[in-house]
Amino acid sequence: MENETSIVSYNLRYQIDGTAVNIHDFTHTFYQQKIGIVGDNGIGKSTLLKLIMGELLPQFGSISVLGSICYCPQDYRRFYGDTVADILGVTAKLEALRNITMGNMDQINFETLNDDWNVERKVASQLELFGLEEINRERAFSTLSAGQKTRLLLIRSILNDSDFLLFDEPTNNLDIKARHILYDFVSQTERGLLMVSHDRNLLQHCDQIIELTSKGITIYGGDFTDYTEQKKINENAIERQYEDAKKAQKKAQRSVQLSLEVLDKKRSKGRKLFVEGKIDRNEANGKRGRSERTQARLNTQEARLLSSVSRHLNSAKQMREIKEEINVSLHKTSVPNGKMVLAIEDLTYQYTTIDRWLFSKFKMSIFGAERVALVGSNGVGKTTLLKIICGELSLVYGTVAIGIEHWSYLNQDIDMLFTEQTILENFKRINPDLLHEECHHALAQFKFRNKDADKLVSNLSGGEKIRAGLACVLMSSAPPQLLVLDEPTNHLDMVSILALEEIVNQYQGALLVVSHDATFLEKINVKRYVDLSALH
């Protein structure tokens, strides 16, 4: 096994003060398998990839790589000076091929091309596969959209012949079509993959899941389903250990108490015998001495026993990760069956910058508490349609009618929240009719208790931000009967996605959502899908 392609970490330690990043004594061998890396945002997943890449140096321990690595990061800024060809690593080869085609037979051109005569065809094939066939090879990477940048970096990785590919949130900004192309590649490749991701469909293709938590790093064999099942078994076992430790502590305390009660009875009896004159002073002093020695022995035994059970209890507490569920009453959001919530008739819309209609005589309606998802490739107009419905863009032709009084729109940036205000200040601004105590109570139900409610929005994680936004609208005195969400799971960690699903599943109104996360849409019980790609 010594010569097998692998990545080996030995007693790896890396900590960032003031953050949750605390990789401690991590020893593991990564072989050429498909490995998913999961955990809460900020826990150190991207840090682990950077340590493997050598962009960060271990504070203790080591990482050795036997083989080659290609890294697809989440942060694009390192590539902003590059062209499309630079990103794909083919600039020199394409220039050499162009020189040869034009009759320049210098040996340097043949050496640079290295018999890769199909380089242009390979690049074109991958660009076409990911819907980027119209992008000029000389175009600056910085001018591409977020989805185009992600797709281009994935093409870069696929064209690269490295032994290991490191992906950091590869499905962020990808539409459903691009996601399925990635899923197919992952399922078919024989290269080693280390993938930081919260995409449950992608993680379903893994051979192994590595989870980073505040308690350490745990390795699970199998795909995401196997991981969730094993994790549940482990959590149940830890919960039993915790309950057993609490019972042991109570039993130990009771045992000590009984021993002290027995000793106290003996002391009382001795004092009574002395007062009644049935024993003399010497005998009474002897009994008192024995009692004091017994008391000392019991104190020592008590300290040892309680110390032992306390250690077990503290250990069980530390192993336990409490993920508190959100349970709220949202009965005010309910919509009668058959109630017209949204009616779009003959909607026609065109951006001034393009010479075709984005929508032409488009029709759609929502009745009652329907859950509808807008799907389709990037650029087909999903977000644009939401903005038209919510009045942020003006109609060209047609009508949009909303049949209920209260509705709310949470866009991708949740910009209804002012970043310079705290969560509580935002809540009061959006709900001026509620008393101070009512605002605190409402936020507490969404797990923003005490000082958490005083966090600045600018300091919130993605999961906290959307939870705060939902709290502000759903805990209103007149909550929305139509909730419009645009890519709500983007950049959320698994815990935040599950919390979002909990909240949305307790919502009783109509739902219109844009998302490329098929698992999320299934979990929130979306029953109708409107594919806008069919319009183009």
Side-chain angles (χ1 to χ4, degrees), residues 35-72:
I35 300 167
I37 302 174
V38 301
D40 294 353
N41 284 341
I43 202 70
K45 304 183 299 296
S46 298
T47 299
L48 180 59
L49 293 188
K50 290 176 181 178
L51 286 164
I52 292 171
M53 277 299 299
E55 292 187 6
L56 295 174
L57 296 177
Q59 293 165 345
F60 186 83
S62 64
I63 288 183
S64 60
V65 179
L66 190 61
S68 53
I69 292 178
C70 180
Y71 179 36
C72 184

Side-chain angles (χ1 to χ4, degrees), residues 215 266 272 284 406 530:
K215 310 304 178 190
K266 288 182 178 180
K272 184 179 179 183
H406 302 289
V530 177

Side-chain angles (χ1 to χ4, degrees), residues 506-526:
Q506 292 169 71
Y507 175 70
Q508 298 177 34
L511 181 71
L512 180 60
V513 57
V514 168
S515 179
H516 298 298
D517 187 336
T519 304
F520 170 71
L521 294 176
E522 179 185 345
K523 294 289 186 181
I524 62 170
N525 297 306
V526 166

